[in-house]
PDB file of all heavy atoms in Angstrom:
ATOM      1  N   THR A 296      -8.367 -16.516 -10.385  1.00 97.00           N
ATOM      2  CA  THR A 296      -7.573 -16.511 -11.614  1.00 97.00           C
ATOM      3  C   THR A 296      -6.453 -15.484 -11.483  1.00 97.00           C
ATOM      4  O   THR A 296      -6.711 -14.320 -11.183  1.00 97.00           O
ATOM      5  CB  THR A 296      -8.458 -16.180 -12.830  1.00 97.00           C
ATOM      6  OG1 THR A 296      -9.550 -17.118 -12.842  1.00 97.00           O
ATOM      7  CG2 THR A 296      -7.681 -16.302 -14.128  1.00 97.00           C
ATOM      8  N   LEU A 302      -6.552 -21.045 -10.108  1.00 98.00           N
ATOM      9  CA  LEU A 302      -6.161 -21.733  -8.875  1.00 98.00           C
ATOM     10  C   LEU A 302      -7.439 -22.095  -8.115  1.00 98.00           C
ATOM     11  O   LEU A 302      -8.239 -21.214  -7.790  1.00 98.00           O
ATOM     12  CB  LEU A 302      -5.302 -20.817  -7.995  1.00 98.00           C
ATOM     13  CG  LEU A 302      -3.811 -20.698  -8.323  1.00 98.00           C
ATOM     14  CD1 LEU A 302      -3.584 -20.053  -9.682  1.00 98.00           C
ATOM     15  CD2 LEU A 302      -3.091 -19.884  -7.253  1.00 98.00           C
ATOM     16  N   VAL A 340     -11.084 -33.496  -4.980  1.00 98.00           N
ATOM     17  CA  VAL A 340      -9.774 -33.290  -5.603  1.00 98.00           C
ATOM     18  C   VAL A 340      -9.523 -34.294  -6.727  1.00 98.00           C
ATOM     19  O   VAL A 340      -9.141 -33.922  -7.843  1.00 98.00           O
ATOM     20  CB  VAL A 340      -8.633 -33.391  -4.562  1.00 98.00           C
ATOM     21  CG1 VAL A 340      -7.275 -33.392  -5.241  1.00 98.00           C
ATOM     22  CG2 VAL A 340      -8.725 -32.251  -3.563  1.00 98.00           C
ATOM     23  N   ASP A 381       4.234 -20.379 -12.500  1.00 97.00           N
ATOM     24  CA  ASP A 381       3.988 -19.476 -13.637  1.00 97.00           C
ATOM     25  C   ASP A 381       2.935 -18.402 -13.350  1.00 97.00           C
ATOM     26  O   ASP A 381       2.842 -17.424 -14.078  1.00 97.00           O
ATOM     27  CB  ASP A 381       3.639 -20.267 -14.914  1.00 97.00           C
ATOM     28  CG  ASP A 381       2.478 -21.229 -14.731  1.00 97.00           C
ATOM     29  OD1 ASP A 381       1.888 -21.246 -13.629  1.00 97.00           O
ATOM     30  OD2 ASP A 381       2.166 -21.956 -15.688  1.00 97.00           O
ATOM     31  N   ILE A 442      -8.228 -14.524   3.288  1.00 99.00           N
ATOM     32  CA  ILE A 442      -9.350 -15.464   3.275  1.00 99.00           C
ATOM     33  C   ILE A 442      -9.211 -16.280   4.556  1.00 99.00           C
ATOM     34  O   ILE A 442      -8.252 -17.050   4.723  1.00 99.00           O
ATOM     35  CB  ILE A 442      -9.297 -16.338   2.009  1.00 99.00           C
ATOM     36  CG1 ILE A 442      -9.406 -15.418   0.773  1.00 99.00           C
ATOM     37  CG2 ILE A 442     -10.412 -17.384   2.019  1.00 99.00           C
ATOM     38  CD1 ILE A 442      -8.956 -16.049  -0.515  1.00 99.00           C
ATOM     39  N   ILE A 445     -14.126 -18.471   9.668  1.00 98.00           N
ATOM     40  CA  ILE A 445     -14.844 -17.659  10.655  1.00 98.00           C
ATOM     41  C   ILE A 445     -15.935 -18.443  11.381  1.00 98.00           C
ATOM     42  O   ILE A 445     -16.703 -17.864  12.146  1.00 98.00           O
ATOM     43  CB  ILE A 445     -15.477 -16.408   9.989  1.00 98.00           C
ATOM     44  CG1 ILE A 445     -16.391 -16.814   8.824  1.00 98.00           C
ATOM     45  CG2 ILE A 445     -14.394 -15.439   9.501  1.00 98.00           C
ATOM     46  CD1 ILE A 445     -17.229 -15.664   8.287  1.00 98.00           C
ATOM     47  N   LYS A 485     -24.430  -9.993  12.142  1.00 98.00           N
ATOM     48  CA  LYS A 485     -23.647  -9.706  13.347  1.00 98.00           C
ATOM     49  C   LYS A 485     -22.152  -9.716  13.030  1.00 98.00           C
ATOM     50  O   LYS A 485     -21.377  -8.878  13.496  1.00 98.00           O
ATOM     51  CB  LYS A 485     -23.937 -10.771  14.411  1.00 98.00           C
ATOM     52  CG  LYS A 485     -24.537 -10.217  15.700  1.00 98.00           C
ATOM     53  CD  LYS A 485     -25.048 -11.344  16.547  1.00 98.00           C
ATOM     54  CE  LYS A 485     -24.331 -11.461  17.883  1.00 98.00           C
ATOM     55  NZ  LYS A 485     -24.911 -12.576  18.682  1.00 98.00           N
ATOM     56  N   ILE A 508     -12.080  -8.492  -6.665  1.00 91.00           N
ATOM     57  CA  ILE A 508     -11.373  -7.981  -5.473  1.00 91.00           C
ATOM     58  C   ILE A 508     -10.319  -6.973  -5.916  1.00 91.00           C
ATOM     59  O   ILE A 508      -9.536  -7.243  -6.813  1.00 91.00           O
ATOM     60  CB  ILE A 508     -10.694  -9.113  -4.678  1.00 91.00           C
ATOM     61  CG1 ILE A 508     -11.673 -10.262  -4.488  1.00 91.00           C
ATOM     62  CG2 ILE A 508     -10.220  -8.610  -3.343  1.00 91.00           C
ATOM     63  CD1 ILE A 508     -10.977 -11.568  -4.275  1.00 91.00           C
TER      64      ILE A 508
END
Side-chain angles (χ1 to χ4, degrees):
T296 305
L302 279 65
V340 171
D381 54 3
I442 299 162
I445 56 170
K485 241 168 117 179
I508 313 155

